[in-house]
Amino acid sequence: MKIKACLSALLFIAFLPKSFAQALITTTLPDSISHWEQTNSVGLDINEIAFVNWSVGGNNSVTLLGKGNFTRKYTKKNVNWLNELIVRYGHNSQQGQVPRKTDDQFQFNSTFGYKHDTISNFYYSAKFNFNTQFANGYNYPNKEHVISAPFAPAYIFLGIGSEYVRKDWGFNAYFSPLTDKTTLVLNQYLADNGAFGVEKAVRDADGNIIIHGKKSRTELGILFTNQLKRQIFKNIMLDNRLTLYTDYLNSFGNVDVNWQFNIDMTVNQYVKANIGANVIYDDDIKATEERDGQVVTVGPKMQLKQMLGVGLSYTF
């Protein structure tokens, strides 16, 4: 009787109009278990200062910083696949000055891991990372020539290795003995000047370009990444990331460093304060200095960006 009842129900559904049949199946069959976890976070930091008859002087200014963090994580048995998109863009408008960019980041990370059993914390992993920016960068107040641009630079890391993951600690560490690093400089002006380590243009005695600079550079080396993201106090979240890379073929032992440190402090559901820093050292990025009225290129230097803000945030 049960079998006949099931067959009768299926035949009944089959002869219903398609829209009714789909609706009936959706409401009667149990939901399938999803192995995907997703988190979306968007925010806007605002900093404004204004003066009226202020005796010690000052310039009115407004700074806006928009940011977003989007993650998609797939977990099933021995497979772990994490995808993360980070975007930031900041803009400052100050009285008496041209508008200036204050922050600019587009970063996508994807790590696929497989472990031989469900107990182990070690994964055989493959990692992909892409990092660039949205808009041109300038050495303010000079806006005649760009010093960076979208896809100039863009960094691509692709490699295989092993990852140690502790979900209870919010900790992971990835090591790859074989990682390809590609640097793109798709702005020809920057490529001709050898920016970000690409081969610069060949010029004649009068400075005319004979052969344009290359727009890409490929390296093969060792990559180590580490992240600690966990709640350290009530309403205080720590996100600490470290990336180390050295190339086998060019100056092996010179380590590129990218350290990002951020603390989010939750005031309420929608208001957050944050403080952070980003330290970068890359032997291929040469600094510039002004000497006797001339801008000259010097050796690589440590780069530092410090951030402090209060603003609106929404997670869904």
Side-chain angles (χ1 to χ4, degrees), residues 18-37:
K18 185 178 180 180
S19 58
F20 289 125
Q22 288 177 340
L24 184 60
I25 292 172
T26 301
T27 56
T28 57
L29 294 179
D31 293 336
S32 60
I33 299 175
S34 174
H35 299 281
W36 287 96
E37 298 177 20

PDB file of all heavy atoms in Angstrom, residues 18-37:
ATOM      1  N   LYS A  18       4.051  22.604 -14.721  1.00  0.00           N
ATOM      2  CA  LYS A  18       5.437  22.597 -14.248  1.00  0.00           C
ATOM      3  C   LYS A  18       5.650  23.493 -13.031  1.00  0.00           C
ATOM      4  O   LYS A  18       6.317  23.122 -12.076  1.00  0.00           O
ATOM      5  CB  LYS A  18       6.356  23.030 -15.393  1.00  0.00           C
ATOM      6  CG  LYS A  18       7.831  22.951 -15.037  1.00  0.00           C
ATOM      7  CD  LYS A  18       8.694  23.344 -16.226  1.00  0.00           C
ATOM      8  CE  LYS A  18      10.174  23.274 -15.863  1.00  0.00           C
ATOM      9  NZ  LYS A  18      11.024  23.655 -17.011  1.00  0.00           N
ATOM     10  N   SER A  19       5.080  24.701 -13.051  1.00  0.00           N
ATOM     11  CA  SER A  19       5.289  25.640 -11.941  1.00  0.00           C
ATOM     12  C   SER A  19       4.709  25.110 -10.644  1.00  0.00           C
ATOM     13  O   SER A  19       5.309  25.213  -9.572  1.00  0.00           O
ATOM     14  CB  SER A  19       4.659  26.999 -12.277  1.00  0.00           C
ATOM     15  OG  SER A  19       3.282  26.843 -12.535  1.00  0.00           O
ATOM     16  N   PHE A  20       3.507  24.461 -10.739  1.00  0.00           N
ATOM     17  CA  PHE A  20       2.902  23.907  -9.537  1.00  0.00           C
ATOM     18  C   PHE A  20       3.698  22.722  -9.014  1.00  0.00           C
ATOM     19  O   PHE A  20       3.858  22.536  -7.800  1.00  0.00           O
ATOM     20  CB  PHE A  20       1.454  23.483  -9.824  1.00  0.00           C
ATOM     21  CG  PHE A  20       0.515  24.625 -10.028  1.00  0.00           C
ATOM     22  CD1 PHE A  20      -0.253  24.709 -11.175  1.00  0.00           C
ATOM     23  CD2 PHE A  20       0.400  25.627  -9.077  1.00  0.00           C
ATOM     24  CE1 PHE A  20      -1.116  25.770 -11.380  1.00  0.00           C
ATOM     25  CE2 PHE A  20      -0.459  26.681  -9.269  1.00  0.00           C
ATOM     26  CZ  PHE A  20      -1.221  26.775 -10.419  1.00  0.00           C
ATOM     27  N   ALA A  21       4.199  21.890  -9.933  1.00  0.00           N
ATOM     28  CA  ALA A  21       4.969  20.715  -9.520  1.00  0.00           C
ATOM     29  C   ALA A  21       6.251  21.115  -8.800  1.00  0.00           C
ATOM     30  O   ALA A  21       6.613  20.547  -7.768  1.00  0.00           O
ATOM     31  CB  ALA A  21       5.311  19.865 -10.743  1.00  0.00           C
ATOM     32  N   GLN A  22       6.961  22.132  -9.338  1.00  0.00           N
ATOM     33  CA  GLN A  22       8.198  22.590  -8.697  1.00  0.00           C
ATOM     34  C   GLN A  22       7.931  23.141  -7.306  1.00  0.00           C
ATOM     35  O   GLN A  22       8.657  22.890  -6.362  1.00  0.00           O
ATOM     36  CB  GLN A  22       8.874  23.645  -9.570  1.00  0.00           C
ATOM     37  CG  GLN A  22       9.501  23.072 -10.836  1.00  0.00           C
ATOM     38  CD  GLN A  22      10.092  24.150 -11.714  1.00  0.00           C
ATOM     39  OE1 GLN A  22       9.744  25.329 -11.597  1.00  0.00           O
ATOM     40  NE2 GLN A  22      10.978  23.751 -12.606  1.00  0.00           N
ATOM     41  N   ALA A  23       6.851  23.919  -7.181  1.00  0.00           N
ATOM     42  CA  ALA A  23       6.522  24.499  -5.880  1.00  0.00           C
ATOM     43  C   ALA A  23       6.178  23.419  -4.872  1.00  0.00           C
ATOM     44  O   ALA A  23       6.580  23.474  -3.708  1.00  0.00           O
ATOM     45  CB  ALA A  23       5.359  25.482  -6.034  1.00  0.00           C
ATOM     46  N   LEU A  24       5.409  22.399  -5.324  1.00  0.00           N
ATOM     47  CA  LEU A  24       5.012  21.329  -4.423  1.00  0.00           C
ATOM     48  C   LEU A  24       6.210  20.515  -3.956  1.00  0.00           C
ATOM     49  O   LEU A  24       6.350  20.186  -2.779  1.00  0.00           O
ATOM     50  CB  LEU A  24       3.994  20.418  -5.115  1.00  0.00           C
ATOM     51  CG  LEU A  24       3.402  19.282  -4.271  1.00  0.00           C
ATOM     52  CD1 LEU A  24       2.675  19.870  -3.063  1.00  0.00           C
ATOM     53  CD2 LEU A  24       2.463  18.424  -5.101  1.00  0.00           C
ATOM     54  N   ILE A  25       7.129  20.194  -4.905  1.00  0.00           N
ATOM     55  CA  ILE A  25       8.329  19.436  -4.536  1.00  0.00           C
ATOM     56  C   ILE A  25       9.191  20.220  -3.557  1.00  0.00           C
ATOM     57  O   ILE A  25       9.713  19.691  -2.579  1.00  0.00           O
ATOM     58  CB  ILE A  25       9.143  19.069  -5.797  1.00  0.00           C
ATOM     59  CG1 ILE A  25       8.371  18.054  -6.634  1.00  0.00           C
ATOM     60  CG2 ILE A  25      10.501  18.487  -5.419  1.00  0.00           C
ATOM     61  CD1 ILE A  25       8.993  17.778  -7.990  1.00  0.00           C
ATOM     62  N   THR A  26       9.342  21.534  -3.801  1.00  0.00           N
ATOM     63  CA  THR A  26      10.175  22.379  -2.940  1.00  0.00           C
ATOM     64  C   THR A  26       9.667  22.404  -1.518  1.00  0.00           C
ATOM     65  O   THR A  26      10.430  22.387  -0.553  1.00  0.00           O
ATOM     66  CB  THR A  26      10.231  23.806  -3.500  1.00  0.00           C
ATOM     67  OG1 THR A  26      10.763  23.758  -4.815  1.00  0.00           O
ATOM     68  CG2 THR A  26      11.112  24.697  -2.627  1.00  0.00           C
ATOM     69  N   THR A  27       8.332  22.434  -1.369  1.00  0.00           N
ATOM     70  CA  THR A  27       7.765  22.562  -0.032  1.00  0.00           C
ATOM     71  C   THR A  27       7.629  21.228   0.683  1.00  0.00           C
ATOM     72  O   THR A  27       7.505  21.194   1.905  1.00  0.00           O
ATOM     73  CB  THR A  27       6.386  23.236  -0.114  1.00  0.00           C
ATOM     74  OG1 THR A  27       5.553  22.480  -1.015  1.00  0.00           O
ATOM     75  CG2 THR A  27       6.507  24.652  -0.612  1.00  0.00           C
ATOM     76  N   THR A  28       7.622  20.116  -0.073  1.00  0.00           N
ATOM     77  CA  THR A  28       7.404  18.821   0.578  1.00  0.00           C
ATOM     78  C   THR A  28       8.692  18.065   0.844  1.00  0.00           C
ATOM     79  O   THR A  28       8.773  17.298   1.800  1.00  0.00           O
ATOM     80  CB  THR A  28       6.471  17.942  -0.281  1.00  0.00           C
ATOM     81  OG1 THR A  28       7.037  17.800  -1.584  1.00  0.00           O
ATOM     82  CG2 THR A  28       5.088  18.558  -0.380  1.00  0.00           C
ATOM     83  N   LEU A  29       9.726  18.237  -0.024  1.00  0.00           N
ATOM     84  CA  LEU A  29      10.967  17.501   0.179  1.00  0.00           C
ATOM     85  C   LEU A  29      11.853  18.224   1.182  1.00  0.00           C
ATOM     86  O   LEU A  29      11.888  19.449   1.214  1.00  0.00           O
ATOM     87  CB  LEU A  29      11.713  17.346  -1.149  1.00  0.00           C
ATOM     88  CG  LEU A  29      11.030  16.467  -2.208  1.00  0.00           C
ATOM     89  CD1 LEU A  29      11.876  16.433  -3.464  1.00  0.00           C
ATOM     90  CD2 LEU A  29      10.770  15.061  -1.689  1.00  0.00           C
ATOM     91  N   PRO A  30      12.607  17.513   2.012  1.00  0.00           N
ATOM     92  CA  PRO A  30      13.480  18.172   2.991  1.00  0.00           C
ATOM     93  C   PRO A  30      14.626  18.907   2.306  1.00  0.00           C
ATOM     94  O   PRO A  30      15.087  18.511   1.242  1.00  0.00           O
ATOM     95  CB  PRO A  30      14.004  16.994   3.838  1.00  0.00           C
ATOM     96  CG  PRO A  30      13.889  15.797   2.943  1.00  0.00           C
ATOM     97  CD  PRO A  30      12.676  16.042   2.099  1.00  0.00           C
ATOM     98  N   ASP A  31      15.087  20.011   2.925  1.00  0.00           N
ATOM     99  CA  ASP A  31      16.201  20.793   2.392  1.00  0.00           C
ATOM    100  C   ASP A  31      17.482  19.969   2.434  1.00  0.00           C
ATOM    101  O   ASP A  31      17.756  19.252   3.395  1.00  0.00           O
ATOM    102  CB  ASP A  31      16.406  22.075   3.208  1.00  0.00           C
ATOM    103  CG  ASP A  31      15.242  23.028   3.036  1.00  0.00           C
ATOM    104  OD1 ASP A  31      14.564  22.920   2.008  1.00  0.00           O
ATOM    105  OD2 ASP A  31      15.006  23.845   3.949  1.00  0.00           O
ATOM    106  N   SER A  32      18.278  20.066   1.364  1.00  0.00           N
ATOM    107  CA  SER A  32      19.566  19.390   1.350  1.00  0.00           C
ATOM    108  C   SER A  32      20.563  20.145   2.221  1.00  0.00           C
ATOM    109  O   SER A  32      20.458  21.356   2.390  1.00  0.00           O
ATOM    110  CB  SER A  32      20.100  19.308  -0.084  1.00  0.00           C
ATOM    111  OG  SER A  32      20.262  20.604  -0.617  1.00  0.00           O
ATOM    112  N   ILE A  33      21.515  19.428   2.769  1.00  0.00           N
ATOM    113  CA  ILE A  33      22.514  20.038   3.642  1.00  0.00           C
ATOM    114  C   ILE A  33      23.568  20.728   2.788  1.00  0.00           C
ATOM    115  O   ILE A  33      24.194  20.107   1.937  1.00  0.00           O
ATOM    116  CB  ILE A  33      23.159  18.971   4.539  1.00  0.00           C
ATOM    117  CG1 ILE A  33      22.104  18.318   5.429  1.00  0.00           C
ATOM    118  CG2 ILE A  33      24.269  19.592   5.384  1.00  0.00           C
ATOM    119  CD1 ILE A  33      22.631  17.169   6.258  1.00  0.00           C
ATOM    120  N   SER A  34      23.779  22.008   3.032  1.00  0.00           N
ATOM    121  CA  SER A  34      24.781  22.754   2.276  1.00  0.00           C
ATOM    122  C   SER A  34      26.123  22.651   2.976  1.00  0.00           C
ATOM    123  O   SER A  34      26.219  22.730   4.201  1.00  0.00           O
ATOM    124  CB  SER A  34      24.373  24.224   2.152  1.00  0.00           C
ATOM    125  OG  SER A  34      25.407  24.967   1.535  1.00  0.00           O
ATOM    126  N   HIS A  35      27.167  22.462   2.188  1.00  0.00           N
ATOM    127  CA  HIS A  35      28.519  22.402   2.726  1.00  0.00           C
ATOM    128  C   HIS A  35      29.226  23.748   2.597  1.00  0.00           C
ATOM    129  O   HIS A  35      30.422  23.833   2.849  1.00  0.00           O
ATOM    130  CB  HIS A  35      29.314  21.309   2.011  1.00  0.00           C
ATOM    131  CG  HIS A  35      28.730  19.933   2.190  1.00  0.00           C
ATOM    132  ND1 HIS A  35      28.905  19.189   3.330  1.00  0.00           N
ATOM    133  CD2 HIS A  35      27.942  19.174   1.368  1.00  0.00           C
ATOM    134  CE1 HIS A  35      28.281  18.026   3.217  1.00  0.00           C
ATOM    135  NE2 HIS A  35      27.692  17.991   2.024  1.00  0.00           N
ATOM    136  N   TRP A  36      28.514  24.765   2.195  1.00  0.00           N
ATOM    137  CA  TRP A  36      29.075  26.106   2.026  1.00  0.00           C
ATOM    138  C   TRP A  36      28.747  26.982   3.230  1.00  0.00           C
ATOM    139  O   TRP A  36      27.629  26.977   3.725  1.00  0.00           O
ATOM    140  CB  TRP A  36      28.528  26.779   0.767  1.00  0.00           C
ATOM    141  CG  TRP A  36      29.083  26.233  -0.506  1.00  0.00           C
ATOM    142  CD1 TRP A  36      28.532  25.287  -1.315  1.00  0.00           C
ATOM    143  CD2 TRP A  36      30.304  26.629  -1.138  1.00  0.00           C
ATOM    144  NE1 TRP A  36      29.320  25.049  -2.406  1.00  0.00           N
ATOM    145  CE2 TRP A  36      30.426  25.862  -2.325  1.00  0.00           C
ATOM    146  CE3 TRP A  36      31.305  27.541  -0.819  1.00  0.00           C
ATOM    147  CZ2 TRP A  36      31.510  25.986  -3.189  1.00  0.00           C
ATOM    148  CZ3 TRP A  36      32.393  27.669  -1.674  1.00  0.00           C
ATOM    149  CH2 TRP A  36      32.491  26.900  -2.842  1.00  0.00           C
ATOM    150  N   GLU A  37      29.740  27.724   3.674  1.00  0.00           N
ATOM    151  CA  GLU A  37      29.544  28.777   4.669  1.00  0.00           C
ATOM    152  C   GLU A  37      29.905  30.100   4.025  1.00  0.00           C
ATOM    153  O   GLU A  37      30.898  30.192   3.295  1.00  0.00           O
ATOM    154  CB  GLU A  37      30.444  28.549   5.889  1.00  0.00           C
ATOM    155  CG  GLU A  37      30.176  27.262   6.643  1.00  0.00           C
ATOM    156  CD  GLU A  37      31.162  27.073   7.784  1.00  0.00           C
ATOM    157  OE1 GLU A  37      31.771  28.084   8.209  1.00  0.00           O
ATOM    158  OE2 GLU A  37      31.343  25.925   8.226  1.00  0.00           O
TER     159      GLU A  37
END
